[in-house]
Amino acid sequence: MRKCFAKWKYTTKGDTLLKLRKVEIVGFKSFCERTVVTFSGTGTTCIVGPNGCGKSNVVDAISWVLGEQSHKSLRAERMADCIFNGTTKRPPMGLAEVTLTMEDPELAEAARFVIEGSPATDASETGPGNLELPATPPADADPSEPSAPSEPTDRPPAEGQAETPAAPADSGSFGKKKRKAEKPPTVTKPGEVVVSRRLYRSGQSEYLINGRVARLRDIQEMFMGVGLGPDSYAIIEQGRIGQILATKPMERRAIIEEAAGVTKFKTKKRLSEAKLESSKVNLSRVNDIVVEVEKQLGSLKRQAAKARRYSEIRDQMRGIVRQMLAGKARELDGEAARLSTQLAELTAAETQRAQAIHEQEAEQDRQSQRIYSLDAELRQNQNLLNQTALEVDRGENRITFNRTRSAELAGRNEQLGVERRTLTGQLLEWEFRNEAQQDAVDAARAPILGPYR
C-alpha cells in the first residue's frame, strides 16, 4: 500500500481562509462514475490505495480544472485521452467533467466581478479551450452513455444558475424546452465558488463559474491573485519539493512572488506593457501616415483647384445644354404634332386596308373550301381510275396466262395423239404376235394330246 497526499494551499487573508470543500469528478481518466471527494478542512486528507488505482488522477483533475493546457503534464498523449476510454464491461464516455467547490468570500466576490465584467460571449477574448458550446447532459445522467449533440444556447444562463441540459436524442423539441425549464439553478452557499471544466470527445471544452460559461482567462485572473493555478506551489506532486530546491534562483523567485501574491500584478503589468508597445507602434504608423499626407497636400490643393474650375465649367456647360435642349424640345413638339396628324391619316388608311384585307381573306377562305372539295373529288376519281387500271392489268394478265396455258394444252394434246397412235400400232403388233404364239402353242400341243383325245 502507498499513500499519495494532495496538499492544498490555505491562504490567510485577514480573518478568512481559502478552503477546498469538494471535488466532483465524472468521466475524467479512470473515474467512469461520478466521484465526490469531500475535504472537511479540519485535518489532512489522504488518498490511500495500491499502485495504478488512480490516486494521482485526483491531483491531475484539480490541475486540469484550474486551467492546465498541457496534456504531458496530465500524463496523457493528447487531451482527449483524459476522457474515460471504456473497458470490456463499460462503454467509453463522451465527456469529462471536474467541479471544484471552494469557500472564500473574497474569491466569491472576484468570481462575481469576473462573471459580470467579462461575459463569456466576448469573441475577441476567447482563448483555446474556451469555445462556447451547446448545453451538456445533466450531472445526474448516466456517465456510461456517450454524449449526444445538444441544442445550442444563444446566451449563457444567469449567475448562480447551471447550464441547461440537453434532452435525450430521441425526444422532440418540446421535450427539450420542458427539461430546460425544469433544470434547477446551481445553489451555492454565501462565500462559495464552484468552478467546472468540461471536455468533449470532439475536442471542444468549456469552463463554468457558478454554473455560468466563462473563459480560460477569467479562470486564470480569478485564481492568479490567490496563488492558484496548474503550475503553482499550491499543488505539490511527487518529486516537486526536490525540483523546487534544485531550481535556479530566478525560477525560485517566481515561486516566492507567487506566494507573495504579486504574480497577478506582474502579469497585468506585462500585458499593459505589451499593449503600450502596440500603441507605440500604432502611433509611429500614424506619424508616418501624417508625413505622407503632408507630402501629398500640395498635389491635393492643385487637384482641388482643378476640381473647383471643373465644377464652374460644368455648371456653365449644363446651362448651355439646357438652352439647347429647350430649343430641341420645341422642335420636337412641332414634329410630334405633325407626326400625330400623319399618324391619324395612316391609321384611317390602315383601317380601310384592313377591311379590304378582311374581305379578301373571306373570299380566299371560300376559294380554299372549293379547292379542298375539288381536291377531294379529284382524289376519289384518281382512286377509282387506279382501281380500274388495276382490274385491267389483272384481266390482261389472266388472258396472257390463259393463252399460254391453251398453247401448252394444244401441244400436250398433239403429243398424246402421237403416243396414242404409237400405242395402237404396238397393240396391233402384240395382238399379231400373240395370235402367232397361240398358234405355235396349239401346234405344239397337238402331237402330245392326240392319243388322249
Side-chain angles (χ1 to χ4, degrees):
M1 304 291 286
R2 188 171 64 128
K3 297 183 179 180
C4 175
F5 297 92
K7 180 176 176 58
W8 188 264
K9 184 186 73 168
Y10 288 80
T11 305
T12 302
K13 296 185 291 183
D15 297 333
T16 61
L17 292 175
L18 174 59
K19 298 180 181 180
L20 177 62
R21 290 301 185 188
K22 184 171 57 174
V23 179
E24 297 182 16
I25 309 173
V26 56
F28 183 81
K29 288 192 174 181
S30 60
F31 296 95
C32 57
E33 297 181 354
R34 180 173 296 277
T35 303
V36 180
V37 181
T38 304
F39 298 88
S40 60
T42 59
T44 302
T45 301
C46 302
I47 302 175
V48 184
N51 293 341
C53 68
K55 301 184 298 298
S56 299
N57 292 342
V58 178
V59 181
D60 293 341
I62 296 174
S63 300
W64 183 67
V65 76
L66 291 178
E68 179 61 60
Q69 299 297 313
S70 175
H71 57 84
K72 294 183 180 179
S73 300
L74 298 174
R75 300 176 292 119
E77 295 182 359
R78 53 195 181 95
M79 192 61 72
D81 293 338
C82 294
I83 305 176
F84 180 70
N85 288 325
T87 61
T88 57
K89 296 182 179 180
R90 292 179 178 272
M93 299 186 65
L95 65 89
E97 182 178 3
V98 178
T99 303
L100 293 183
T101 302
M102 293 166 289
E103 182 179 350
D104 183 16
E106 294 187 12
L107 185 62
E109 182 66 20
R112 186 186 64 81
F113 175 75
V114 166
I115 292 177
E116 295 179 355
S118 301
T121 56
D122 187 1
S124 62
E125 297 289 340
T126 302
N130 303 327
L131 185 64
E132 187 172 347
L133 297 173
T136 56
D140 56 353
D142 188 1
S144 62
E145 296 182 359
S147 62
S150 57
E151 183 178 325
T153 56
D154 297 334
R155 58 179 182 179
E159 181 181 357
Q161 183 177 355
E163 270 206 315
T164 303
D170 56 347
S171 63
S173 59
F174 177 80
K176 291 183 179 181
K177 295 180 180 179
K178 183 177 180 181
R179 294 194 56 164
K180 185 172 182 180
E182 294 175 355
K183 177 66 177 178
T186 300
V187 179
T188 58
K189 298 179 181 179
E192 281 190 352
V193 179
V194 180
V195 181
S196 304
R197 180 177 180 180
R198 296 170 181 169
L199 175 64
Y200 295 87
R201 184 73 66 179
S202 61
Q204 298 175 331
S205 65
E206 64 180 2
Y207 294 86
L208 295 94
I209 300 176
N210 291 340
R212 189 171 179 183
V213 178
R215 302 170 301 173
L216 174 59
R217 181 176 297 180
D218 299 334
I219 302 293
Q220 293 174 346
E221 290 181 355
M222 185 178 67
F223 288 124
M224 194 178 297
V226 295
L228 289 182
D231 298 328
S232 65
Y233 69 94
I235 300 175
I236 302 177
E237 302 173 354
Q238 185 177 0
R240 183 67 182 274
I241 298 177
Q243 182 181 359
I244 293 174
L245 296 176
T247 55
K248 298 179 182 180
M250 295 301 296
E251 296 179 356
R252 195 177 299 116
R253 178 181 178 181
I255 297 176
I256 297 173
E257 289 178 351
E258 183 181 356
V262 299
T263 306
K264 178 177 181 180
F265 302 101
K266 292 189 69 174
T267 303
K268 290 186 177 181
K269 177 183 177 183
R270 186 173 62 254
L271 294 176
S272 299
E273 289 177 351
K275 291 182 179 179
L276 182 61
E277 186 65 25
S278 177
S279 300
K280 289 181 179 180
V281 173
N282 293 334
L283 182 60
S284 176
R285 179 59 180 164
V286 169
N287 292 331
D288 295 339
I289 294 174
V290 169
V291 172
E292 185 65 25
V293 170
E294 289 178 351
K295 290 180 181 179
Q296 298 177 359
L297 186 58
S299 176
L300 293 175
K301 287 182 178 179
R302 290 191 297 270
Q303 293 178 8
K306 292 180 180 179
R308 286 192 296 271
R309 179 60 179 167
Y310 169 76
S311 179
E312 294 174 359
I313 296 175
R314 184 183 59 184
D315 294 338
Q316 295 177 3
M317 184 188 66
R318 287 180 176 177
I320 296 172
V321 169
R322 281 195 292 269
Q323 293 178 2
M324 293 176 59
L325 292 178
K328 190 65 175 177
R330 288 190 294 270
E331 294 179 1
L332 292 177
D333 290 339
E335 185 68 18
R338 185 182 63 82
L339 292 177
S340 298
T341 305
Q342 186 177 359
L343 179 62
E345 296 175 355
L346 293 177
T347 303
E350 182 184 4
T351 304
Q352 296 178 358
R353 299 286 178 83
Q355 186 176 1
I357 290 172
H358 183 68
E359 294 176 356
Q360 292 177 1
E361 288 178 351
E363 182 65 23
Q364 183 180 3
D365 293 338
R366 289 193 296 270
Q367 295 297 332
S368 297
Q369 294 295 332
R370 178 61 179 169
I371 290 173
Y372 292 153
S373 61
L374 293 176
D375 191 14
E377 186 178 355
L378 178 61
R379 285 196 298 271
Q380 184 178 2
N381 294 333
Q382 186 68 32
N383 293 334
L384 182 60
L385 180 60
N386 292 335
Q387 187 174 4
T388 304
L390 182 61
E391 293 294 335
V392 170
D393 189 27
R394 290 177 181 175
E396 291 178 352
N397 291 335
R398 285 197 296 271
I399 292 172
T400 303
F401 177 75
N402 291 333
R403 288 178 180 176
T404 303
R405 185 63 177 169
S406 177
E408 291 177 357
L409 293 176
R412 182 63 178 169
N413 189 20
E414 291 178 359
Q415 183 178 0
L416 291 175
V418 173
E419 291 178 357
R420 186 172 57 254
R421 287 193 295 272
T422 303
L423 290 175
T424 300
Q426 290 179 358
L427 180 61
L428 292 175
E429 182 179 359
W430 282 104
E431 287 178 355
F432 179 75
R433 291 176 63 183
N434 188 21
E435 290 177 357
Q437 291 291 335
Q438 190 66 33
D439 291 341
V441 170
D442 291 341
R445 287 178 178 177
I448 298 172
L449 299 175
Y452 296 100
R453 291 180 178 178

